[in-house]
Amino acid sequence: MDGKEQRERETDSLDTRTLYEQALDCMHEQRNSDALLLLNRVLELNRRDAQALYARAVTNLSMSNFRKAGCDLLKTIAVDPGFLEAYKHLGFVQLTLGKEEEALKTLQKALDIDPGYAGVYGVIGDTWLDLGEYEKAKEAFESALRLEPESVESHYKIAMYYLSRGDMAGLKKEYEILKTLDAEMAEQIGSLYF
């Protein structure tokens, strides 16, 4: 590689980082269209940038573009098979698209990489709920809580499990826990169900 090619690569690398950081700022500000434009440019410069593929997928998810998000998540995993968040989000996309069995397989792959990944258990629980497998859903939510006992999301999900089963005592217990962790979330449950 001659000096000119080296300088062009360094410039592209700097441009890519700057564009990516700008895209993250846009995502944070919920300027999704701007974020997509910037991420597309990053991916024009390096189509195998797993972070940019993942960020574009998350942006598409926030816009309910589930199929586009799913494609980018598959590409992210192809580039970086250890990208745990990509598996979690892909499982969510598959669940949303009614592909529960695929979602379970995808989420299991994430757990094969990291069995202590609490966030995956919540999506697994949601998947089991969709399949009407309530006890398996409860087990998944409880697994998440064992790993992260103060997870507001997991306590909320298990509260919804109790509600779906008509277990008002379980729902009340989770409501009391949520009052100490997130009063606003507890109030949502309380105002609807008590």
Side-chain angles (χ1 to χ4, degrees):
M1 176 182 323
D2 67 16
K4 181 180 177 188
E5 285 180 34
Q6 180 66 29
R7 283 190 302 279
E8 285 176 3
R9 281 193 177 196
E10 288 172 4
T11 300
D12 284 350
S13 177
L14 289 173
D15 289 345
T16 302
R17 277 194 300 271
T18 301
L19 291 169
Y20 178 74
E21 289 169 10
Q22 291 172 347
L24 292 181
D25 289 342
C26 289
M27 290 170 67
H28 181 71
E29 296 167 3
Q30 298 180 344
R31 294 179 18 233
N32 295 323
S33 296
D34 293 336
L36 286 176
L37 289 171
L38 291 164
L39 291 165
N40 287 338
R41 180 66 185 126
V42 170
L43 291 165
E44 285 172 13
L45 296 169
N46 179 7
R47 63 186 176 91
R48 296 186 49 82
D49 185 325
Q51 292 290 334
L53 285 164
Y54 175 74
R56 188 168 71 179
V58 169
T59 303
N60 274 308
L61 273 176
S62 69
M63 299 170 70
S64 299
N65 295 330
F66 298 109
R67 293 192 190 286
K68 288 181 180 180
C71 288
D72 279 339
L73 291 165
L74 286 169
K75 290 175 187 175
T76 301
I77 291 167
V79 172
D80 182 357
F83 203 125
L84 289 172
E85 284 292 315
Y87 288 97
K88 177 184 166 189
H89 282 90
L90 180 58
F92 171 78
V93 166
Q94 291 165 330
L95 174 61
T96 302
L97 295 175
K99 299 176 181 180
E100 291 88 355
E101 296 300 326
E102 284 182 45
L104 288 171
K105 289 176 186 173
T106 297
L107 296 165
Q108 185 57 53
K109 288 178 187 174
L111 292 179
D112 290 345
I113 296 167
D114 182 1
Y117 185 25
V120 169
Y121 287 101
V123 182
I124 290 172
D126 292 339
T127 305
W128 285 124
L129 281 179
D130 274 14
L131 291 169
E133 296 281 350
Y134 299 106
E135 291 311 307
K136 289 181 180 180
K138 182 181 178 189
E139 287 173 24
F141 297 142
E142 288 174 341
S143 293
L145 284 171
R146 276 192 297 279
L147 292 166
E148 292 180 2
E150 295 192 5
S151 167
V152 172
E153 180 181 3
S154 294
H155 280 288
Y156 180 81
K157 286 183 177 197
I158 205 158
M160 293 300 98
Y161 159 80
Y162 286 129
L163 178 67
S164 74
R165 306 307 299 152
D167 182 344
M168 297 311 281
L171 180 63
K172 176 92 169 136
K173 180 184 111 191
E174 292 302 319
Y175 167 74
E176 293 298 328
I177 293 169
L178 280 169
K179 281 189 348 186
T180 65
L181 297 174
D182 185 325
E184 188 175 313
M185 187 71 76
E187 190 58 37
Q188 287 178 13
I189 291 172
S191 67
L192 293 172
Y193 309 110
F194 297 117

